Amino acid sequence: MEDSEIIRLYCNRDEQAVEETEKKYGSYCFSIAKNILGNEEDARECLNDMLTQAWLSIPTHIPDNLKFWLGKVIRNISINLRKKQNRKKRHDGMDVILSELEECIPSGNTVESYLESEELSRILNMWIKTLSDKDQVIFVMRYWKGVSVKEIARHQGITAKKVSQRLYELRNKLREKLEMEDIYI
Amino acid sequence: MSKDSEKLFDAMGNIDDEILKKTENRAGKNKMWFGGTSLFACICLVAVALIITSRNNSNKTGNGSEIIEAGSSNEETNTPDTIVNETDKETEDETEKIKTVRYYFVSGYGEVDTNKRYDAPQNGEILLSDGLKNAIDDIGDKAFYSVYFELYKDGIKVELNDEIIENEMKRVGGRYQDGEVQSGLFTDTKEGIKYYSLAFFGSREQLTNYPSNSDLGIIMYLSTELMIRDGREIVDNNIFELDFETREKAVVCGYRDKRVE
């Protein structure tokens, strides 16, 4: 079913909208949640929450792109759930992603001025757009979708070692960019 | 782990749709031709197409879109040589003409004899299935091929696993010339069975010169040929027939447009 048709169902308050959303984007969203949370039960819970949120949000908010909007919603829900679970039950995969991102944080600065998340997103967006297509895919798959290095390698037809190496270089580039912009996170 | 990295990860959540769309498209392309699940899905429907499609001479694809012919062969380069697309790409200070060649991946050719079993190849030997041989003979360099491997050790079939696949991929460096060696772990959702595959995507020349493995024998099948023979699950995806003006109509599981200078 076309996205516009699904949105029309939401607007008509037809519950089939939820079914169609799950049918079309359920596995896509589920994989994002599972990458972040590391277990299927929690991911399923997030998927249900996302469907509820979609039901409550549309038509007040009509997404430009339903797929990516849902992706962002479930990503946020998953991150929040993970925060709620609060360090006790941390998922290894997510820990690894965060420790990787640690390398992007400019060093030698005390955290005096905090950058607003929106501004940080704006800079990230600008920076990602300067990357080659392939680098964009690798970076977004890893740090937006939380996909494992091995899976990215399979996807891209290159070795896992090459992906790790490329990610390492990209993190360095991002750190340089943030340092250059004099940004403290 | 600091809150800073969490903040950075959170900030990634507001990435532009434009970037997501672009990366999704590119990732999707790779996935379609070289990835696991989608490729599998692709291949599976080829099986359906082989069974249900009528052999007509229409110049239309199975899903209704118009076929672009793969073009005549080029004996010297062994690659399809028809320029199928020319687009203008704006660069910083000029408009660049982009030329691309469309490479189809043939994944099925002719009827599949589900009872056919080949003699086990000896270590270091590479055999081609009938379907693959026929396709190569008839289509030659007009297309590329989507191929699945069966491996044999001392004449006994080897069940694929992570280690075996990794060794084979390492042996050929993941790639062989411009061809791609890929592996995948698939789940048959009906039967709940998981199985591995080792696939190769390449030209006739790449296939026929694939380096032998002194420790293993290899049988190469067209991917759907093996799927059908093994009765694996059929799932939905977009595949289509392509008429290469051969005795059989080939089933194609996708294509890749490659830029040419």
Side-chain angles (χ1 to χ4, degrees), chain B residues 228-243:
Chain B
I228 292 170
R229 197 205 66 181
D230 290 352
R232 292 184 188 165
E233 186 186 18
I234 309 294
V235 292
D236 187 24
N237 211 313
N238 55 333
I239 56 95
F240 52 88
E241 280 188 291
L242 196 58
D243 192 350

Side-chain angles (χ1 to χ4, degrees), chain B residues 83-194:
Chain B
I83 306 298
V84 296
N85 197 15
E86 266 195 30
T87 49
D88 290 338
K89 186 186 174 190
E90 295 288 339
T91 57
E92 273 182 17
D93 50 7
E94 59 181 323
T95 303
E96 194 187 349
K97 277 256 186 260
I98 305 289
K99 292 178 180 176
T100 52
V101 174
R102 181 153 294 182
Y103 294 77
Y104 285 98
F105 288 93
V106 171
S107 58
Y109 192 67
E111 297 298 329
V112 177
D113 179 356
T114 53
N115 295 316
K116 174 89 180 181
R117 294 294 180 273
Y118 297 92
D119 290 338
Q122 295 307 306
N123 297 350
E125 193 180 2
I126 298 177
L127 300 179
L128 271 56
S129 71
D130 291 347
L132 181 56
K133 264 195 268 186
N134 289 339
I136 285 177
D137 285 348
D138 292 351
I139 301 167
D141 298 318
K142 291 179 184 172
F144 281 2
Y145 300 89
S146 162
V147 167
Y148 269 10
F149 290 180
E150 263 184 2
L151 301 182
Y152 290 79
K153 172 86 179 164
D154 302 328
I156 297 166
K157 190 179 165 190
V158 175
E159 287 304 318
L160 296 177
N161 60 35
D162 280 329
E163 193 187 344
I164 290 168
I165 286 174
E166 203 179 324
N167 286 343
E168 180 61 12
M169 289 180 75
K170 261 189 206 158
R171 188 179 73 86
V172 294
R175 284 163 185 266
Y176 173 61
Q177 296 178 2
D178 284 332
E180 309 270 349
V181 182
Q182 278 289 306
S183 67
L185 175 62
F186 304 125
T187 304
D188 184 318
T189 53
K190 269 195 282 186
E191 304 292 333
I193 302 166
K194 291 192 176 199

Side-chain angles (χ1 to χ4, degrees), chain A residues 11-64:
Chain A
C11 294
N12 294 341
R13 309 315 290 156
D14 184 336
E15 287 180 8
Q16 200 197 335
V18 179
E19 274 174 43
E20 294 297 335
T21 304
E22 186 170 13
K23 199 155 71 176
K24 189 167 182 185
Y25 296 121
S27 60
Y28 167 76
C29 294
F30 180 81
S31 70
I32 294 174
K34 200 178 159 216
N35 288 339
I36 292 171
L37 295 160
N39 87 64
E40 294 195 355
E41 203 182 322
D42 289 346
R44 172 65 49 191
E45 189 185 324
C46 288
L47 182 63
N48 289 336
D49 288 352
M50 179 206 76
L51 292 169
T52 308
Q53 191 156 329
W55 178 254
L56 295 173
S57 303
I58 308 171
T60 314
H61 169 76
I62 306 279
D64 291 335

Side-chain angles (χ1 to χ4, degrees), chain B residues 7-32:
Chain B
K7 191 169 177 182
L8 202 51
F9 188 67
D10 285 353
M12 282 289 293
N14 293 324
I15 211 164
D16 284 354
D17 284 1
E18 185 194 330
I19 294 173
L20 292 176
K21 195 170 182 179
K22 195 168 150 193
T23 55
E24 193 83 2
N25 287 343
R26 271 191 64 86
K29 271 183 197 163
N30 285 328
K31 194 174 181 182
M32 184 159 186

Side-chain angles (χ1 to χ4, degrees), chain A residues 28 36 65 67-68 72 75 79 82-83 87 90 94-95 97-99 101-102 104-105 114-115 117 120-121 124-125 128-129 133-134 136-137 139-140 143-144 150 154-158 185, chain B residues 1-24 26-28 30-31 34-37 162 166 173-175 180-186:
Chain A
Y28 167 76
I36 292 171
N65 183 313
K67 180 180 181 179
F68 300 141
K72 287 173 184 179
R75 191 178 184 277
I79 291 171
R82 190 186 155 277
K83 281 176 183 166
R87 303 359 174 190
R90 273 191 155 180
M94 181 70 189
D95 267 356
I97 289 175
L98 291 179
S99 69
L101 285 174
E102 193 87 8
C104 305
I105 314 292
Y114 286 88
L115 196 67
S117 179
L120 187 55
S121 298
L124 271 173
N125 275 318
I128 290 169
K129 283 174 189 169
D133 287 352
K134 193 158 189 173
Q136 287 188 18
V137 173
F139 194 82
V140 169
Y143 300 117
W144 191 80
K150 201 175 166 187
R154 197 177 63 72
H155 226 274
Q156 294 295 305
I158 53 178
I185 294 174
Chain B
M1 210 114 9
S2 71
K3 284 207 178 280
D4 295 344
S5 52
E6 282 189 4
K7 191 169 177 182
L8 202 51
F9 188 67
D10 285 353
M12 282 289 293
N14 293 324
I15 211 164
D16 284 354
D17 284 1
E18 185 194 330
I19 294 173
L20 292 176
K21 195 170 182 179
K22 195 168 150 193
T23 55
E24 193 83 2
R26 271 191 64 86
N30 285 328
K31 194 174 181 182
F34 305 115
T37 315
D162 280 329
E166 203 179 324
R175 284 163 185 266
E180 309 270 349
V181 182
Q182 278 289 306
S183 67
L185 175 62
F186 304 125

Side-chain angles (χ1 to χ4, degrees), chain A residues 123-133 135-136 170 173 177, chain B residues 19 22:
Chain A
I123 291 162
L124 271 173
N125 275 318
M126 272 171 47
W127 176 75
I128 290 169
K129 283 174 189 169
T130 65
L131 302 178
S132 70
D133 287 352
D135 283 348
Q136 287 188 18
L170 289 171
K173 268 191 183 179
K177 169 75 181 167
Chain B
I19 294 173
K22 195 168 150 193

